[in-house]
Structure formats: C-alpha cells, structure tokens
Amino acid sequence: MFDFSTNSNACGPCPEALQAVQVADATRYPDPAYTALREALGAFHGVAPGRIVLAASASEFIHRITALAAQQGAAQVAVPPHSYGDYAQAAQVRGLDVLRGGGAAVGLQWACEPSSPLGLEDPAVRGWREGEEGEVVSALRVLDCAYVPLRLDAEGAWTGAPSPRLPSVSWQLWTPNKALGLTGVRAAYAVAPTGGEDAVQALTALAPSWPVGAHGVALLQAWTSPMVQQWLVHSLGTLRDWKAGQQALCTDLGWAVQAGSLANYFCAQPATATLQGDLAALRASGIKLRDATSFGLPGTVRLGVLPPDAQDALQAAWHALQGRTIPNGVLTGSGETS
C-alpha cells in the first residue's frame, strides 16, 4: 500500500529516534512528573520546564484544553475554515458552539500553520503576532505546530529548533512523531505562553496518570537531540525534490493542484466526476489518498509527499483506472528522477 493520506515524513523513520524507541525500558513506569523530559523540552524551546505540559497525543491535548475552556466558561470555540476535525469534535461533545474562520472574543481559539489540508499560512497567526506586544489575552489560544518542522518554504523552513517568529501569546502544541516518521508512537507536548502557569496547573490536574508511556518519552527525548534534528533538516531537501515531482505528476494527470502549500503535502482536484468510486478503486489497487470532504473541500484530495516509486504507482493506477495506456509501457512521471 502506498499511503498518500498521511502527512508523515516519508524520509523516515529517523534512525536515531527509532532506535531510542526500540530500546526504551517498557518494564517500568516513567517518572510521573516527567522531570527530566520537561527539562529537556524546556531547554529545547528556551522556556522554563514549568511551561511544558505532556500529553498522550495531540488529540488528547485538544480534548483536555477544550475541557478546560468549558470549565472556564467558554461558550464558543473558533477553528480555521478547513481544519483537523478533532478541534470541532472536542467542542461539540462539550456542548460548545463552533465558529469557523476566527473570532477574537471566543474563549478558545485554534490555529494551525501550515494549515491542514491546504498547507497555507493561517491568517489568525499573523493577527496574533501583530497584536502581541503589550496585548492582554484572556482567551485560550492554541497554535497546532504539527507541521511546523515540515515546512519546505525558504522563509519558514525548519532549521533544527523552534523559530522565534511563533507567537508568544498562544499555546504551542507539538507532535514530533510526524516529522520523525514515527506516527505510531503517540506522544505530544504543549508549551504554555508566558504567564500561563495557572493554566498549566489546571491542565495537569485534568490529565490521567502517566499520559505518556515509555516509548513516547523516548521519542520526545530523542526529538531534542542535535543528531535527530540534523537528520530532520537534511530530510527537508529530499522532500522538496519529491514534492516538485509529485505536483508535476498531478498536473500531468490533469489534476488541478492547489497552489501555495508550504508543507510536505498539498491538495488537488482529480479530473473525475466519480471521485468517491475512484478513491475506492485506487485503494483496492494499493493507492490510498485522503478525501478532503471532511475538511469542507468536496472533490479534493490531500496528498502527502511520497518517494518516486510511490508516485509511479499512483500514475500507473490512475491511468489504468481511466482506461488509458502509457506509451511503450514507460512511465512519464516523477519516477524518472533519481
């Protein structure tokens, strides 16, 4: 199966991070306070360890901070127009209204940059940045940083450490498993904004015991390693090349490629009137694409960037599905590049 539906780093898994997970001691509970891990993550971000909150996964943190917002009296949650479904789902199960497209007075505000599924800059983040000097923020603002380490544009490309351009008035939610190609290891953490100590304590009180197991601890510890960061930065060059080839392939197939994606994924509209049936047929032939209907983008698919052999397989499967033949049996897509 060639899985284009995931946004995981296709250069992975990171060897050093994988080894750390494999040798983790699963016979004992981690330190319940995660003292050493919080110190390492705090040093990585240049903040006090007391501003680090551990989470079982990004989704677990989304539900936990939504519960905190509800406890604090929030009635609405603002989410981007097209976004990860758990933001809205966590709000709805707590009876909170969901406002798409922003809302300055809303008690809990979500942003994701690069956004998913489009990979674009989130205008809410720009507003947070521009207004942060001297600004008193009463709402809970959370920037989902899942794809920050996978930015491929020259201006915002990951350099091995968090950028100071990230807004300081918001929470930052980090899930390194995507960047390291180890999405099966569920572990995440959040960095509280300056002055967020009360919220840190409240979120910690809402957490179950040991939200992160031994393998998650090993992953997050490895994340702060210079060797792991060096691998990640090196992988971005490969992903840029693969992305250029994959977008060119989609254009050759007659698909309309959404412009502007900054990340290791992008959206496209396949040239078909029967997308649902075609996606099912492609999956049966070993090609999995992400239907973006749930993001509010019907007729669109999101494609994570994969290596040339996967792109060749997509090309061959699409041609076969459409009943077309490839001249002389030779693929003409991105797989010809080294």
Side-chain angles (χ1 to χ4, degrees):
M1 172 70 72
F2 293 105
D3 190 357
F4 289 87
S5 73
T6 175
N7 291 341
S8 179
N9 186 340
C11 294
C14 170
E16 292 80 12
L18 177 60
Q19 183 182 24
V21 170
Q22 290 174 331
V23 302
D25 183 1
T27 68
R28 292 174 173 81
Y29 290 105
D31 167 17
Y34 301 100
T35 303
L37 177 58
R38 291 168 69 232
E39 288 176 352
L41 292 169
F44 184 64
H45 286 269
V47 303
R51 287 172 59 183
I52 304 295
V53 175
L54 276 298
S57 66
S59 294
E60 188 272 319
F61 182 84
I62 290 167
H63 278 264
R64 202 191 325 167
I65 200 167
T66 304
L68 178 62
Q71 282 186 359
Q72 294 178 345
Q76 291 181 316
V77 175
V79 304
H82 310 293
S83 60
Y84 183 42
D86 277 20
Y87 306 154
Q89 196 265 346
Q92 290 164 349
V93 298
R94 289 166 179 82
L96 307 182
D97 293 331
V98 176
L99 178 63
R100 295 197 176 274
V106 177
L108 176 59
Q109 303 167 19
W110 285 99
C112 182
E113 184 177 303
S115 65
S116 180
L118 296 174
L120 305 176
E121 290 189 341
D122 192 319
V125 178
R126 191 180 313 116
W128 295 355
R129 247 189 245 115
E130 292 171 352
E132 65 184 8
E133 185 175 349
E135 182 180 13
V136 177
V137 179
S138 58
L140 290 171
R141 290 176 173 174
V142 188
L143 174 61
D144 189 339
C145 298
Y147 305 114
V148 168
L150 289 167
R151 281 188 68 150
L152 304 180
D153 61 305
E155 180 181 353
W158 185 253
T159 60
S163 169
R165 67 187 295 273
L166 296 172
S168 61
V169 296
S170 70
W171 284 79
Q172 297 173 15
L173 173 58
W174 294 87
T175 45
N177 56 358
K178 293 182 178 67
L180 301 181
L182 288 164
T183 54
V185 183
R186 309 299 291 162
Y189 65 95
V191 182
T194 304
E197 289 79 5
D198 289 345
V200 169
Q201 294 179 7
L203 283 168
T204 302
L206 287 172
S209 300
W210 292 288
V212 182
H215 298 97
V217 170
L219 178 78
L220 295 180
Q221 283 279 10
W223 169 243
T224 67
S225 161
M227 186 176 297
V228 167
Q229 289 299 323
Q230 184 179 13
W231 174 89
L232 173 57
V233 171
H234 179 74
S235 76
L236 300 183
T238 301
L239 290 173
R240 288 187 192 95
D241 292 341
W242 289 354
K243 181 179 179 181
Q246 189 165 310
Q247 289 181 320
L249 168 61
C250 289
T251 300
D252 289 344
L253 295 177
W255 299 9
V257 175
Q258 172 75 40
S261 169
L262 307 173
N264 66 319
Y265 53 87
F266 59 92
C267 284
Q269 292 81 42
T272 176
T274 57
L275 181 59
Q276 294 296 325
D278 288 345
L279 291 179
L282 285 172
R283 182 170 298 199
S285 65
I287 303 292
K288 186 177 180 182
L289 304 179
R290 177 67 158 88
D291 183 354
T293 300
S294 64
F295 289 109
L297 295 169
T300 301
V301 294
R302 188 192 67 196
L303 300 97
V305 172
L306 292 188
D309 62 333
Q311 298 177 29
D312 284 345
L314 170 62
Q315 181 188 44
W318 184 256
H319 278 297
L321 185 63
Q322 303 303 310
R324 294 193 290 268
T325 58
I326 303 172
N328 301 319
V330 177
L331 295 177
T332 58
S334 61
E336 292 183 350
T337 62
S338 59

